[in-house]
Structure formats: structure tokens, C-alpha cells
């Protein structure tokens, strides 16, 4: 199996991606081969559900995860629900394999015996309906109690199409904060923030698992979860309004964009 290694640095986190091309192992440079000479640790396997309306770029985003080269994201790519694609990552000296599954709705993933380790909910910033669909999916995950012990990342794609934008960045942050999800805007078309998202997904999975372990294998207390979604949404809208008025972003909005902390 020919493995092509790509070195990338993101916000201080070094990671390496691997993708399969053929049937033999590619020679690596001395700098690349150094980690391989160390004692090999078990590879952690994680399943990630990519949820969103048709046409928001789920297939293109998964494809971009697998390469450091820009792809033509606006070629017609049919979203193949249920298909899985693997991306191997070496991050902070630990190797993990992320299996991305493409699905329009989170319902099937929720009903699995072993639900995925993370949910990435995607919308297009030029399509208001896809944003509404993303909110429906986050609500479904919350109602199914999926978000208490699994990370969710809300992703606004196609920010390169700035003149056609229909969903503001602040609206995206407000929605993410309402459901205690993380938030990031990307452009698969120009490969903007794609690597940051990939690193962030793995970071969130690891942080959630560490939290679960530190809590003795118990899920976080419902007392720290939502009592009223409407109250939370109203609070987020008020914070959003204050941001507009005073031009100073609320700390909760800033935190939801930091994929390196819970």
C-alpha cells in the first residue's frame, strides 16, 4: 500500500495525514521516518458522522481531508450516503484513524448500536435552507441525548462565495452556542480552514474521551445541560445583539470557535 505523507502545521499542532494509492509502502524522508522508529502505539479508531443537506459539500470536504492538494470542489459530486472514507492522522505523537460517514440525516447514526464518536453538522453559508436543516439536525441530536458525551462541530462551508452569503458568521456562532457545539467556517473550494477542522475534530474527540475518563466513566450531569432550549437561544440572541452594538465579541462566541478546548 503506497502511503503518501503530508506534513502540515496548524495553530501549533503538528500532524501528518496518510492516504492509500496502491500496494507498496512509500519511502519516507529521515524527518518523516523518525516517529515510525519509535515503539508503535495502538491506533485509535473513531467514526465521524458528516451530517447536512444535499449540496453543502460533505463529499468534497471528506475528499479534501484525504489530500493536501486543492480539489475542484465545485465539480458535481453526488453525496453518497452511508459510504465511509478513512483518514489516518498522526497528531501530537499519537496516530488515529477517522472513518467519515456521509449522511443527510443523523437519524440512522443515532439508531446504531454504537453511535459515532463525533458529529459534524454542515451547512452552506449561501443556502439559508441548509442552515435551517443544520439546526434541525442539532435539535435531533440534542433530543436523542447524543451531545452530552460526544462532540458536535457546526461547519459553515463555501465562505469563498462571499457575495452570495445568506447566513452570517454571527448566526452560525449563535446556533453553535445554543447547542454547545463548536463552530468553524471553511471553504473546500480554496482549501481554507480544512486542516484546522480536521485537527479540531480529532482534538474534540480526544478531549471528550478524557473528560469521560476523568468523570469515572459517567456522563456529565444533566444539571449542567440544558433546561430550556428556548431560554438558551434567547440568551445567545441577546449576546449576539450586544456584539453588534458594542463591536466586542462575547466570550462564549469566542470559545465556540476554539476547537482545542471543550
Amino acid at each position: 500500500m503506497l502511503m503518501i505523507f503530508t506534513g502540515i502545521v496548524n495553530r501549533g499542532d503538528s500532524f501528518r495525514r496518510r492516504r492509500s494509492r496502491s500496494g507498496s509502502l512509500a519511502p519516507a524522508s529521515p524527518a518523516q521516518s523518525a516517529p515510525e522508529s519509535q515503539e508503535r502505539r495502538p491506533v485509535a479508531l473513531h467514526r465521524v458522522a458528516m451530517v447536512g443537506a444535499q449540496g453543502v459539500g460533505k463529499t468534497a470536504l471528506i475528499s479534501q481531508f484525504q489530500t493536501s492538494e486543492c480539489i475542484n470542489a465545485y465539480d458535481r459530486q453526488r453525496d453518497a450516503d452511508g459510504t465511509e472514507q478513512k483518514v489516518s492522522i498522526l497528531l501530537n505523537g499519537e496516530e488515529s484513524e477517522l472513518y467519515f460517514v456521509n449522511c443527510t440525516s443523523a437519524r440512522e447514526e443515532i439508531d446504531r448500536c454504537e453511535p459515532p464518536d463525533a458529529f459534524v453538522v454542515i451547512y452552506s453559508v449561501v443556502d439559508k435552507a441548509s442552515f435551517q436543516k443544520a439546526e434541525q439536525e442539532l435539535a435531533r441530536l440534542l433530543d436523542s441525548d447524543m451531545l452530552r458525551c460526544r462532540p458536535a462541530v457546526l461547519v459553515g462551508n463555501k465562505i469563498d462565495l462571499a457575495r452570495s452569503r445568506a447566513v452570517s458568521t454571527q448566526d452560525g456562532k449563535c446556533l453553535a452556542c445554543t447547542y454547545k457545539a463548536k463552530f468553524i467556517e471553511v471553504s473546500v473550494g480554496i482549501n481554507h480552514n480544512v486542516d484546522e477542522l480536521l485537527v479540531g475534530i480529532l482534538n474534540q474527540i480526544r478531549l471528550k474521551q478524557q473528560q469521560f475518563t476523568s468523570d469515572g466513566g459517567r456522563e456529565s450531569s444533566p444539571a449542567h445541560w440544558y433546561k430550556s432550549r428556548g431560554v438558551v437561544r434567547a440568551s445567545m440572541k441577546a449576546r449576539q445583539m450586544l456584539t453588534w452594538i458594542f463591536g466586542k465579541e462575547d466570550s462564549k462566541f469566542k470559545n465556540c470557535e476554539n476547537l482545542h478546548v471543550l
Side-chain angles (χ1 to χ4, degrees):
M1 182 181 300
L2 174 63
M3 310 304 292
I4 298 180
F5 296 88
T6 306
I8 307 165
V9 176
N10 296 277
R11 296 181 182 175
D13 287 306
S14 298
F15 79 98
R16 195 171 62 209
R17 292 182 294 185
R18 305 193 304 183
R19 58 194 178 95
S20 302
R21 279 284 185 87
S22 66
S24 61
L25 184 65
S29 68
Q32 291 173 329
S33 60
E36 301 296 332
S37 63
Q38 300 174 3
E39 184 177 352
R40 189 172 182 83
R41 300 178 181 179
V43 178
L45 308 180
H46 304 293
R47 197 164 183 272
V48 182
M50 306 288 282
V51 183
Q54 292 284 344
V56 297
K58 300 190 300 294
T59 301
L61 182 55
I62 295 173
S63 296
Q64 189 66 74
F65 282 154
Q66 296 178 298
T67 179
S68 60
E69 301 173 357
C70 286
I71 63 173
N72 191 343
Y74 297 116
D75 280 347
R76 296 289 294 180
Q77 299 188 52
R78 175 174 293 182
D79 290 336
D81 286 359
T83 59
E84 292 190 10
Q85 298 290 332
K86 182 181 76 172
V87 178
S88 297
I89 309 174
L90 182 63
L91 176 62
N92 297 333
E94 297 182 26
E95 186 173 3
S96 299
E97 290 183 352
L98 300 184
Y99 289 82
F100 291 95
V101 57
N102 191 335
C103 48
T104 303
S105 172
R107 189 181 303 277
E108 291 184 6
E109 295 302 312
I110 292 171
D111 293 338
R112 289 174 61 92
C113 295
E114 295 184 9
D117 297 295
F119 292 93
V120 178
V121 182
I122 309 169
Y123 67 93
S124 166
V125 300
V126 301
D127 183 356
K128 189 74 172 181
S130 71
F131 182 69
Q132 295 168 345
K133 166 74 171 175
E135 180 171 9
Q136 293 171 4
E137 293 302 328
L138 286 171
R140 178 176 286 118
L141 292 172
L142 177 64
D143 293 340
S144 302
D145 205 24
M146 287 284 116
L147 299 184
R148 193 180 301 165
C149 57
R150 295 173 182 82
V153 182
L154 179 65
V155 179
N157 187 26
K158 304 185 182 182
I159 61 171
D160 55 303
L161 305 178
R163 293 184 178 182
S164 303
R165 182 186 276 268
V167 181
S168 72
T169 301
Q170 287 297 325
D171 283 339
K173 292 179 185 180
C174 184
L175 179 60
C177 288
T178 299
Y179 291 91
K180 288 190 176 180
K182 291 298 181 177
F183 175 75
I184 187 172
E185 288 188 330
V186 306
S187 169
V188 181
I190 58 175
N191 196 14
H192 175 70
N193 273 350
V194 173
D195 291 329
E196 285 77 0
L197 172 58
L198 182 59
V199 170
I201 293 169
L202 181 54
N203 269 328
Q204 287 297 301
I205 292 173
R206 289 179 178 179
L207 288 169
K208 276 288 187 179
Q209 291 183 343
Q210 290 170 8
Q211 182 187 60
F212 187 76
T213 301
S214 65
D215 289 342
R218 301 185 304 274
E219 295 183 357
S220 57
S221 170
H224 298 294
W225 202 241
Y226 306 118
K227 293 183 178 180
S228 171
R229 191 179 311 165
V231 171
V232 174
R233 169 59 67 86
S235 173
M236 291 302 109
K237 284 293 185 182
R239 290 172 182 267
Q240 184 180 19
M241 184 63 68
L242 291 174
T243 297
W244 284 337
I245 293 174
F246 296 106
K248 185 177 180 179
E249 189 166 47
D250 187 272
S251 59
K252 281 188 175 294
F253 287 169
K254 288 182 179 178
N255 183 69
C256 80
E257 289 186 287
N258 188 348
L259 276 65
H260 302 276
V261 300
L262 285 177

